[in-house]
Amino acid sequence: MEFIKKNIETLRLRVKEAAEKSGRREEDIKIVAVTKTVMPETIQVAVDYGLTILGENRVQEAQRKIGLVKGDVSWHMIGHLQKNKAKYAVRLFSMIQSVDSYELAVEIDKRAGKLGKVMDVLVQVNIGKEETKFGAEYEETPELIKKISELENIRVKGLMAIAPFKEDPEDVRPFFKKMRELFLKLKDLRLKNVEMEFLSMGMTHDFHVAIEEGANMIRIGSGIFGPRI
């Protein structure tokens, strides 16, 4: 498992460089370790080496893993969430990063209310207008967040996006720039139950560009754990 430690060291160095380019510090950037298909004992190595935010794509996979990873960790739902899985997600996760519709938000609100919990969420934006990706339309996101802000058991903590894949990460810079513009616009609205704290964008291939354009949360899988089998 030594390669995981080396990967994390390299990742932190690159995060530091990108953060400094944008006038920030390494500590300003939250790293979400994406644990899809990764075994608990392998995840534990990353946790022991200081990564404490873990991102899962599927509720069922999270259910199998969460009790097996030790330490002061928080689990984030980062994959598409179906309404019928919301009741489980609200129990399992400290944040749901993939809220993409008012209907899903209403279901999360209802389930959180039953638990006496206020659920932290990010609203996912389909920044590239890709048919194969989930997320709210860019232009419709402000209105969606205004509607969600009226729900009592949800707190919107920011935005999440998956940029289109391009061989050259520089080609996705305009998408990240647009996301930051939207993030700042929504921050200025000062809506109830909305705290624009996190801009979650950038993955193993393009996170350095995302950070340079304002991301303060990145989601890294293969850059930590190696290629998925």
Side-chain angles (χ1 to χ4, degrees):
M1 297 295 183
E2 195 64 32
F3 78 96
I4 293 176
K5 295 181 180 180
K6 288 181 180 176
N7 285 348
I8 293 172
E9 288 173 0
T10 300
L11 173 62
R12 284 181 171 146
L13 182 62
R14 292 185 66 200
V15 166
K16 183 175 186 289
E17 290 171 350
E20 288 175 351
K21 274 189 177 181
S22 61
R24 291 175 295 163
R25 302 168 302 160
E26 177 190 350
E27 309 89 80
D28 297 330
I29 314 300
K30 304 290 186 188
I31 299 172
V32 179
V34 179
T35 56
K36 179 181 178 182
T37 74
V38 181
M39 298 298 288
E41 56 269 27
T42 306
I43 299 169
Q44 192 68 56
V45 176
V47 170
D48 293 344
Y49 209 61
L51 297 185
T52 58
I53 307 175
L54 307 175
E56 267 296 338
N57 289 67
R58 297 176 185 275
V59 166
Q60 284 174 299
E61 194 172 341
Q63 287 173 317
R64 294 195 297 269
K65 293 177 182 176
I66 284 179
L68 300 176
V69 179
K70 307 304 178 188
D72 185 18
V73 299
S74 60
W75 291 82
H76 290 198
M77 176 66 182
I78 59 173
H80 178 63
L81 180 62
Q82 296 173 314
K83 278 173 57 180
N84 63 354
K85 298 287 177 63
K87 62 182 176 182
Y88 306 111
V90 167
R91 290 180 183 274
L92 290 167
F93 298 102
S94 60
M95 179 180 283
I96 298 171
Q97 293 203 20
S98 49
V99 173
D100 58 2
S101 71
Y102 182 66
E103 292 73 23
L104 176 58
V106 167
E107 186 66 20
I108 291 169
D109 177 73
K110 180 175 80 173
R111 298 297 179 175
K114 288 182 177 180
L115 295 176
K117 178 178 183 178
V118 176
M119 191 74 219
D120 287 345
V121 306
L122 303 184
V123 170
Q124 182 175 353
V125 181
N126 187 349
I127 187 62
K129 298 184 182 292
E130 295 175 277
E131 290 183 7
T132 56
K133 289 201 176 95
F134 294 98
E137 293 291 329
Y138 181 88
E139 295 79 9
E140 296 170 4
T141 300
E143 194 57 39
L144 172 61
I145 289 180
K146 285 176 186 175
K147 288 176 70 177
I148 294 174
S149 73
E150 298 299 322
L151 301 173
E152 293 299 322
N153 305 300
I154 281 187
R155 182 168 48 205
V156 177
K157 298 288 286 183
L159 302 175
M160 185 268 259
I162 303 169
F165 180 82
K166 306 285 185 183
E167 287 293 337
D168 184 353
E170 282 298 321
D171 291 340
V172 296
R173 191 178 291 275
F175 295 101
F176 292 140
K177 200 182 290 276
K178 279 189 72 176
M179 281 300 301
R180 175 157 175 79
E181 289 169 1
L182 179 61
F183 178 80
L184 294 175
K185 175 183 175 181
L186 289 163
K187 198 168 191 173
D188 287 343
L189 293 179
R190 301 183 184 277
L191 296 169
K192 181 181 74 169
N193 297 323
V194 176
E195 301 168 12
M196 280 288 143
E197 185 177 350
F198 299 114
L199 181 54
S200 174
M201 58 185 192
M203 298 189 287
T204 298
H205 182 63
D206 57 15
F207 73 84
H208 59 291
V209 178
I211 292 172
E212 289 172 17
E213 292 301 332
N216 58 10
M217 182 177 279
I218 57 175
R219 307 179 304 279
I220 309 295
S222 59
I224 296 168
F225 300 110
R228 291 195 183 95
I229 298 171

